[in-house]
């Protein structure tokens, strides 16, 4: 809301009154709220502070979804929160947050915040630029306006179990509409990551991005290039490991946002092998979504392997043409491509090293007729590499024969395995070089396997 200035230059923020939804007017029951979050809310409230659930948890409960976590907003200062809870740690510097820890669950408690980043100072300064008030902490009706979307700006008040809605968030939830607070262009310029958040929430909640929130994205998406790569890594995990990775990918591509995260992959998607790259990626993401739905572990190393596979291959061809040996050509290609990608998304080395192993195992999996093939199954990355080989086959690379052989091998008992190894080696087939077959829907090409990575 626009602040109003008095003749002496002091600033009085003007806020509309919130719409209050009493307990009988909304479906959120305390039974759906984590016991630990309730403990925090009640104790703050008993000590005389305001205490409200805020953000994703209120939104998800209104939608009938299970919240990922429960965040609390309060007028207690961080030090006051710490005095109330033994199991509490303060984090952050300028804006300190309290983390109250209960076994594996952390309840994040944030003191109401005043101005949102970037806007700070006009509102808080006199004409001479003197700071009139501390613009870090504020009241509930300050806190609401620095949030991103209306649906993320709802509060559940433990004092009377009502929902406090300053922004029309409840109506937007009912209409399944994603709407930024304030002027969209200003809000994206303040924090370009909000463009990625728009794509993520629209996908995950199956909401429509309202036109004024959508419109500036095409003009402003390049601002994402200046975001710290470490922050983009966090966002990438939320986008691709949040359970709807494939839909998020498609949404990002549709709005030209994917390019800002993965420029090499984006280029490959628009290149001669685009259809293949798209098949490989969408199956990798489907695979990830299924694993998450089944509660199985996932690693960003696998996703990186799929995202960058074509780029490594293209770079390998360039290196070969420049006269490098096949082994060097592939290794240098992997170095180049990974270092370009981590300049954009800071994937930690413990993951990129696994990505390299998955790639390095691909040509070894092609040599399944060797008597030593069974030993590969003991490699710590065998399973990931085998899964990757299946993806490549499904996407149309000429590696189906090897993929089938390994599948049969893995499904056989010991005697069956011995027989498979025996018959493969007596056939004398050298599967090292796959026959050049046309890829389904793609042109034939030399593969990184040929180079013997
Ligand atoms: P999720 O279910 O993915 O956790 P969430 O809405 O809880 O969704 P968080 O990233 O956990 O999202 O952030 C918590 C709340 O903090 C948001 O609901 C929003 O109100 C506020 N917030 C987070 N990031 C931003 C941002 N970049 N700009 C403005 N407000 C933000
Ligand atoms: Mg959250």
């Amino acid at each position: 809301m626009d602040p109003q200035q008095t003749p002496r230059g002091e600033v009085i923020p003007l806020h509309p009154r919130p719409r209050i939804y009493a307990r009988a007017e909304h479906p959120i029951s305390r039974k759906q709220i984590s016991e630990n979050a309730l403990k925090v809310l009640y104790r703050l409230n008993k000590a005389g502070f305001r205490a409200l659930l805020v953000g994703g948890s209120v939104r998800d409960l209104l939608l009938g979804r299970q919240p990922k976590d429960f965040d609390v907003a309060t007028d207690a200062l961080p030090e006051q929160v710490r005095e109330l809870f033994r199991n509490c740690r303060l984090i952050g510097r300028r804006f300190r947050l309290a983390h109250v820890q209960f076994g594996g669950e952390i309840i994040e408690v944030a003191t109401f915040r005043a101005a949102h980043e970037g806007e700070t100072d006009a509102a808080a300064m006199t004409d001479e630029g003197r700071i009139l008030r501390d613009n870090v902490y504020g009241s509930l009706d300050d806190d609401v306006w620095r949030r991103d979307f209306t649906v993320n700006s709802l509060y559940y008040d433990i004092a009377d179990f009502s929902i406090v809605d300053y922004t029309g968030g409840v109506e937007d939830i009912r209409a399944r509409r994603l709407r930024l607070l304030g002027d969209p262009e200003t809000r994206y310029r303040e924090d370009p990551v909000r463009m990625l958040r728009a794509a993520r929430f629209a996908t995950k909640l199956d909401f429509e991005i309202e036109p004024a929130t959508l419109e500036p994205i095409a003009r402003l998406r390049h601002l994402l290039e200046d975001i710290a790569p470490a922050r983009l890594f966090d966002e990438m995990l939320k986008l691709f490991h949040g359970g709807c990775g494939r839909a998020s990918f498609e949404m990002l591509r549709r709005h030209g946002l994917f390019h800002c995260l993965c420029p090499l992959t984006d280029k490959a998607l628009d290149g001669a092998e685009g259809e293949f790259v798209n098949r490989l990626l969408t199956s990798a993401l489907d695979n990830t979504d299924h694993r998450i739905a089944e509660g199985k572990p996932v690693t960003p190393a696998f996703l990186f392997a799929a995202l960058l596979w074509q780029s490594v291959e293209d770079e390998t061809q360039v290196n070969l043409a420049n006269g490098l040996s096949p082994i060097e050509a592939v290794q240098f290609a992997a170095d180049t491509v990974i270092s370009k990608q981590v300049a954009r998304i800071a994937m930690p080395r413990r993951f990129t090293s696994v990505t390299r192993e998955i790639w390095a195992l691909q040509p070894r999996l092609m040599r399944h007729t060797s008597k030593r093939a069974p030993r590969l199954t003991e490699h710590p990355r065998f399973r990931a590499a085998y899964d990757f080989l299946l993806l490549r086959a499904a996407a149309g690379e000429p590696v189906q024969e090897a993929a089938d052989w390994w599948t049969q091998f893995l499904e056989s008992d010991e005697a069956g395995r011995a027989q498979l190894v025996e018959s493969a080696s007596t056939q004398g087939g050298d599967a090292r070089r796959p026959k050049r077959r046309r890829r389904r829907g793609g042109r034939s090409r030399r593969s990184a396997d040929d180079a013997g990575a």
Side-chain angles (χ1 to χ4, degrees), residues 232-418:
L232 289 185
F233 178 66
D234 293 342
E235 287 304 315
M236 172 188 162
L237 290 188
K238 290 185 191 169
L239 281 158
F240 296 134
H241 284 179
C244 36
R246 170 160 183 187
S248 298
F249 162 69
E250 286 166 355
M251 175 75 84
L252 291 172
R253 274 279 284 175
R254 196 154 58 245
H255 297 298
L257 289 164
F258 186 68
H259 176 80
C260 311
L261 292 176
C262 304
L264 293 174
T265 315
D266 199 59
K267 193 170 148 218
L269 281 161
D270 293 332
E273 298 286 354
E275 274 180 45
F276 162 72
V277 178
N278 191 54
R279 276 197 302 269
L280 187 76
L281 267 183
T282 50
S283 352
L285 288 163
D286 279 343
N287 194 309
T288 304
D289 290 345
H290 281 133
R291 290 184 67 93
I292 290 169
E294 288 169 8
K296 291 184 185 165
V298 290
T299 166
F302 189 77
L303 196 56
F304 248 43
L307 282 166
L308 299 175
W309 178 242
Q310 182 64 41
S311 308
V312 170
E313 190 119 305
D314 293 344
E315 188 70 21
T316 301
Q317 297 311 315
V318 172
N319 291 346
L320 286 172
N322 287 336
L324 290 187
S325 76
I327 287 174
E328 279 177 335
V330 174
Q331 273 171 3
F332 291 169
D335 291 344
T336 309
V337 166
I338 283 184
S339 62
K340 280 188 188 164
Q341 179 62 62
V342 297
R344 187 60 58 90
I345 296 183
M347 169 95 105
R349 200 183 293 269
R350 66 177 188 282
F351 296 125
T352 55
S353 64
V354 175
T355 300
R356 285 167 190 279
E357 286 181 285
I358 292 172
W359 288 338
L361 280 167
Q362 296 307 304
R364 294 175 67 188
L365 288 170
M366 297 307 293
R367 294 196 277 273
H368 57 85
T369 52
S370 143
K371 279 226 191 289
R372 292 207 308 248
R375 270 202 239 152
L376 265 189
T377 57
E378 288 156 30
H379 193 288
R381 306 296 167 217
F382 169 80
R383 192 71 211 191
Y386 162 72
D387 284 343
F388 193 66
L389 185 71
L390 294 184
L391 274 190
R392 293 173 56 205
E397 274 199 77
V399 295
Q400 189 69 53
E401 209 177 295
D404 289 344
W405 189 91
W406 282 107
T407 303
Q408 219 187 335
F409 183 83
L410 292 173
E411 284 167 0
S412 304
D413 58 14
E414 219 168 302
R417 288 182 174 195

Side-chain angles (χ1 to χ4, degrees), residues 215-236:
E215 182 276 325
I217 291 182
R219 280 185 288 117
L220 301 179
R221 57 194 173 209
H222 65 276
L223 296 175
L224 282 164
E225 286 164 21
D226 295 327
I227 299 299
R231 186 163 178 218
L232 289 185
F233 178 66
D234 293 342
E235 287 304 315
M236 172 188 162

